[in-house]
Amino acid sequence: MVRLPLTPAEVARGRRLGMLLRRARGDRSMVDVAFSAQVSPETLRKIESGRIATPAFATVASVAAALGLSLDGVWAEITHVSGSDADDSRDSLAGRPAPR
């Protein structure tokens, strides 16, 4: 299966997700949060740093739950952009072909 390259809007959204999760983690250790979410600390580190820009939904849901975040709140936070970024974000969501 060929994976399509990420759009700039998807990369930016992944960075916003990583920053949000890092802020929400606060003083808790990465290992503590990762184990609470049942993901590896390496996976959490990559998400927080933006290296995994489009993590699996289940992974985001697990980490959000471990941090006490609602998925609606996470989505609202990472998709709230202004100006041309907002147009890029909508285009990237609507313009991507469905995976096969």
Side-chain angles (χ1 to χ4, degrees):
M1 178 169 119
V2 175
R3 187 174 182 116
L4 296 174
L6 298 176
T7 67
E10 290 169 322
V11 172
R13 191 171 50 242
R15 287 188 185 126
R16 288 190 301 273
L17 173 63
M19 288 188 298
L20 170 68
L21 297 179
R22 174 61 191 100
R23 279 194 319 264
R25 185 165 56 84
D27 292 336
R28 288 178 67 184
S29 76
M30 188 176 291
V31 171
D32 175 49
V33 172
F35 287 148
S36 293
Q38 297 182 339
V39 300
S40 73
E42 181 66 12
T43 296
L44 182 57
R45 185 184 68 75
K46 287 179 180 178
I47 294 169
E48 285 187 358
S49 67
R51 289 189 55 213
I52 299 177
T54 57
F57 176 80
T59 301
V60 175
S62 293
V63 174
L67 294 171
L69 301 173
S70 76
L71 289 176
D72 289 337
V74 170
W75 182 249
E77 177 92 16
I78 67 171
T79 59
H80 179 69
V81 292
S82 61
S84 64
D85 285 345
D87 294 336
D88 291 346
S89 180
R90 281 191 300 274
D91 291 345
S92 71
L93 292 174
R96 299 276 308 230
R100 294 179 181 225

